Amino acid sequence: DIVHVHNFFPLLTPAVFHACNGQGIPVVHTLHNYRLLCPGALLMRDGRPCADCASRSPYLAVRHACYRGSPLATLAVARMVAHHRRRETWFTQVHRFITPTEFARRQFVEAGFPPEKIAVKPNFVDEGVHGARLFTGEAPSGRGARSPALFVGRLSTEKGIDTLLAAWTGVELELRVVGDGPLADRLQRNAHKNPGVNPVGPLDAAGVAKEMEMAAFLVMPSVCFEGFPMVLAEAFAHGIPVIASRLGSMAEIIEDGITGLHFTPGDPSDLASKARWLADHPKERARMGANARHVYERKYTPDRNYTMLMQIYDQAIAEAAQRTGS
């Protein structure tokens, strides 16, 4: 009935869209990142947001080796982006796009994508899979004034690991860091100097759920725009607030003072200040956690997501039928 593409890069290539259209099959494509605009996929360069390729030519990325640090590899990706932009593949071969946030949708619309073809559907969390227990509106036992802060994610530059570690030199609160990545060694070295930083390593969904059950709050210091990190939906399901960079999708998903706090991206002192404040105000923290749980129930459950997805499928099928006159 329909083909839903989540990631065609690098193995399928955009030829998958032409193959589907050749068979008359409606196509939905979820834009999990910004690959159709930016060879590096993150709209980021040298640790800062960058939209040069989205507004100008994707070949600008070659000079900066934005894909895997290789000019040659970046050239190949830039050529793909430029070719299908020129061929109008995204306008003629895809019936509906999905972005996880309004912020992401705006980036594609500003780059020239037809707004009527882009639907916003966030990610979701299944409590039975991710282990989020029913939240009652009060902080669960164990989340006292000295409960740990928690980071869950890839240990890489775009995730703001340097900002996180610099901030925690001035925060007298345990920080548990779950994940792995190219900056794992840097994290270990920092932990030797700062006893408040506790590297946990990678965990499965059940392990992350246990960490969230005891955490006072989650920290997301990313310096990239992000898409819709699953860890945010998981935190909301567990009823814990989030301190996040005031940047991109994070500033949209986390409501400042309602479901968490914003801090200036890349500013360790501001992050440290917000972390200390949240640690020292358990009642406010519980209120934000309760709000986060309510948002989860309203937006990020499987049932709510299923309804939204079926509406998008219906729209894609209807558009395909209109095109072919069938």
Side-chain angles (χ1 to χ4, degrees):
D1 298 313
I2 198 163
V3 167
H4 188 161
V5 177
H6 282 273
N7 185 24
F8 64 80
F9 182 84
L11 299 182
L12 292 174
T13 81
V16 67
F17 300 113
H18 293 276
C20 292
N21 274 266
Q23 296 294 321
I25 303 173
V27 177
V28 172
H29 180 28
T30 295
L31 302 167
H32 291 287
N33 56 37
Y34 301 100
R35 182 79 65 192
L36 307 192
L37 309 179
C38 164
L42 298 176
L43 290 180
M44 176 180 172
R45 177 165 59 84
D46 297 332
R48 295 185 299 274
C50 170
D52 287 352
C53 290
S55 59
R56 297 159 65 191
S57 167
Y59 288 108
L60 293 171
V62 178
R63 181 190 312 165
H64 305 287
C66 291
Y67 178 65
R68 296 191 173 183
S70 166
L72 189 59
T74 304
L75 176 62
V77 182
R79 184 179 183 279
M80 178 196 72
V81 173
H83 172 76
H84 290 282
R85 184 183 294 181
R86 184 172 60 254
R87 195 176 180 185
E88 297 189 333
T89 297
W90 319 126
F91 303 93
T92 62
Q93 303 296 310
V94 180
H95 299 90
R96 278 294 181 277
F97 293 98
I98 295 175
T99 60
T101 64
E102 286 287 351
F103 173 84
R105 182 179 184 273
R106 287 196 301 272
Q107 308 314 303
F108 284 97
V109 170
E110 290 174 5
F113 279 60
E116 69 276 5
K117 295 182 69 169
I118 307 177
V120 176
K121 184 190 73 63
N123 292 331
F124 71 97
V125 167
D126 186 340
E127 292 183 277
V129 174
H130 292 273
R133 60 189 183 186
L134 182 64
F135 189 66
T136 62
E138 297 180 357
S141 60
R143 293 189 190 169
R146 308 316 297 171
S147 296
L150 179 65
F151 170 89
V152 180
R154 177 173 163 80
L155 305 181
S156 55
T157 301
E158 72 274 9
K159 295 297 182 179
I161 298 301
D162 290 334
T163 302
L164 180 68
L165 296 179
W168 238 258
T169 60
V171 178
E172 295 182 359
L173 178 72
E174 182 187 5
L175 171 67
R176 295 180 65 79
V177 180
V178 176
D180 200 0
L183 300 186
D185 289 344
R186 187 178 304 178
L187 172 65
Q188 291 290 344
R189 291 194 299 271
N190 185 278
H192 290 312
K193 298 183 293 183
N194 185 351
V197 176
N198 186 350
V200 177
L203 295 175
D204 60 13
V208 171
K210 289 180 180 178
E211 292 289 337
M212 287 193 174
E213 287 176 6
M214 296 303 298
F217 55 85
L218 183 79
V219 184
M220 178 160 282
S222 297
V223 293
C224 64
F225 287 139
E226 289 286 0
F228 192 119
M230 289 299 298
V231 68
L232 291 184
E234 292 172 33
F236 277 36
H238 281 85
I240 59 175
V242 180
I243 300 179
S245 301
R246 190 184 298 104
L247 181 68
S249 298
M250 295 171 289
E252 175 185 324
I253 298 167
I254 308 301
E255 297 178 83
D256 191 35
I258 306 298
T259 55
L261 297 174
H262 294 168
F263 76 96
T264 304
D267 186 339
S269 62
D270 194 24
L271 173 55
S273 175
K274 299 297 170 56
R276 285 193 295 266
W277 188 92
L278 206 54
D280 293 339
H281 292 80
K283 290 184 178 181
E284 290 298 304
R285 198 169 67 235
R287 176 183 63 81
M288 293 181 193
N291 290 339
R293 174 65 196 193
H294 295 328
V295 171
Y296 164 76
E297 293 170 349
R298 192 171 74 249
K299 294 183 177 181
Y300 307 140
T301 64
D303 287 345
R304 174 59 179 148
N305 209 271
Y306 175 80
T307 300
M308 298 173 72
L309 184 60
M310 290 304 105
Q311 291 173 345
I312 295 168
Y313 283 175
D314 288 342
Q315 293 167 0
I317 291 170
E319 182 178 326
Q322 185 178 17
R323 284 189 193 179
T324 59
S326 63

